Amino acid sequence: MENDEFYMIRCLELAKLGKLEVAPNPMVGCVIVYNGEIVAEGYHKKFGGPHAEVNAFAQLSDLVPLHLCDIYVNLEPCSHYGKTPPCSDLIIAKKPKRVIIGMLDPNHKVAGKGIKKLMEAGINVSMGTLELECKLLNKKFIKAHTTLLPYVTLKWAETKNGFMARAKYDSSHAKISDPKNDPFVHQLRGTHQSILVGAATVNKDNPRLDVRHAKGSSPIKIVLSATLSLDLSKDLFKEGKTLVYNQLKSEIIDKYELIKLEHFSLLNILKDLAARDIHSVLVEGGPLVLDSFISQKLWDEAIIIKSSAEWTDGIKAPWLGIPSYEEIIRNNDTIKYFKPA
Ligand code: AOF
Ligand code: ZN
């Protein structure tokens, strides 16, 4: 149905407007159509706030005959009492002609129950319009709910000949990517709930790991330091929230939290993050941490910023050994996107 796809594209556009503020909730847009015309739209704007359907109904004029309207939504309307009441009950009360849904909600609290409620109430439901596109938009939400692990994005910059850091530390930080691409990198930070580095990166580079060259709130910072060999006076610990995974102790200290894991492993760290409703992690290094994610196959996507600079020596960047699925030239860098084989 061409028209269904047209309105679902609009739902996806609306849903994306929530991308910086809804996590760990999904991005959801809703469109109400009467007589071939969009008469109301809404989207989920903020975590804890009203769902897309509620915002769309709030826009609808009383003059529109609801029983002749079609409702489009990219995610199955919810069936549970969370921070807000069930959207499927709201839709049933309004008795529309048809409800067109992009994909099932993988949240086990919903998972088909929303659709079942609608159908049992005698509403005509169409399922799966632009399902792939809907799934792609909410890939982080889906990963977390189906595997109980967060979506892991690896990100690093490397020279044209594959070096990601100087062999010996120098205070210049040996910046590789074009500074004009800082907004791009910060946009990536803003669309992940957390950002992860190893202790060596904190001690050597003193990164802030915040969002300052783009819109969006700064992600929760995650530092891996099995032995707590970490300089806690670094900038990172001054602003925002930081979780330090280690093998020695658990303690909450002002802006950071030490979390002791009996079995210190990447998998257990990821499980713990998902249990805290952290659905996405941007791994920004260093080389050993990135290598561990790759060798343990615990990543979902890698974004590599390749500069035009060539160094004679340094620390080699990880080698993914599989073709990129996309390449984009941005300023003086090439951005390469990889997926696991
Ligand atoms: C919808 N429409 O716009 C969204 C839905 O705590 P709550 O009440 O906000 O519920 C969060 C859950 O509701 C979330 O995990 C997902 O299953 C669903 N999100 N559902 O019908 C929406 N954002
Ligand atoms: Zn809902």
Side-chain angles (χ1 to χ4, degrees), residues 25-26 28 44 48-49 51-53 75-78 80 82-84 87 105 107 110 141 145:
N25 274 355
V28 185
H44 185 42
H51 286 181
E53 298 89 325
L75 183 78
E76 171 187 8
C78 65
H80 69 301
K83 291 190 170 54
T84 63
C87 293
D105 186 341
N107 182 350
V110 186
F141 175 76
H145 279 279

Side-chain angles (χ1 to χ4, degrees), residues 48-74:
H51 286 181
E53 298 89 325
V54 176
N55 286 334
F57 280 121
Q59 295 295 312
L60 194 66
S61 149
D62 290 342
L63 302 175
V64 176
L66 249 168
H67 67 285
L68 298 177
C69 286
D70 293 337
I71 297 179
Y72 290 82
V73 60
N74 56 294

Side-chain angles (χ1 to χ4, degrees), residues 150-301:
Y151 187 94
V152 175
T153 307
L154 310 180
K155 182 240 122 190
W156 69 83
E158 63 180 41
T159 63
K160 194 175 176 187
N161 51 346
F163 293 111
M164 71 180 305
R166 295 287 189 201
K168 278 211 186 95
Y169 176 66
D170 75 78
S171 57
S172 70
H173 293 289
K175 192 164 171 72
I176 295 172
S177 59
D178 185 337
K180 286 201 231 61
N181 283 331
D182 288 351
F184 167 74
V185 172
H186 282 230
Q187 230 174 319
L188 272 179
R189 289 180 175 179
T191 48
H192 285 78
Q193 274 182 274
S194 69
I195 180 163
L196 182 150
V197 294
T201 297
V202 175
N203 291 339
K204 278 198 244 159
D205 295 353
N206 192 21
R208 279 159 61 185
L209 304 181
D210 57 3
V211 177
R212 55 189 188 280
H213 297 297
K215 279 193 196 154
S217 45
S218 294
I220 295 170
K221 292 159 285 181
I222 317 289
V223 181
L224 310 190
S225 184
T227 55
L228 280 179
S229 47
L230 197 57
D231 180 352
L232 294 166
S233 69
K234 292 292 187 189
D235 289 349
L236 183 94
F237 300 104
K238 293 182 183 145
E239 286 295 325
K241 186 175 169 184
T242 305
L243 308 178
V244 181
Y245 284 94
N246 70 87
Q247 270 176 324
L248 304 178
K249 62 175 172 182
S250 287
E251 200 176 338
I252 298 176
I253 305 162
D254 194 19
K255 291 198 162 90
Y256 61 92
E257 182 173 350
L258 306 181
I259 301 166
K260 176 182 171 177
L261 290 182
E262 292 302 331
H263 301 287
F264 188 84
S265 70
L266 283 188
L267 183 62
N268 285 339
I269 290 166
L270 293 177
K271 281 183 186 166
D272 191 77
L273 290 173
R276 290 166 192 263
D277 275 341
I278 297 177
H279 287 182
S280 56
V281 187
L282 182 67
V283 182
E284 284 211 17
L288 288 179
V289 171
L290 287 162
D291 274 333
S292 309
F293 274 95
I294 295 166
S295 63
Q296 293 176 47
K297 298 188 168 46
L298 288 173
W299 60 289
D300 297 286
E301 186 174 342

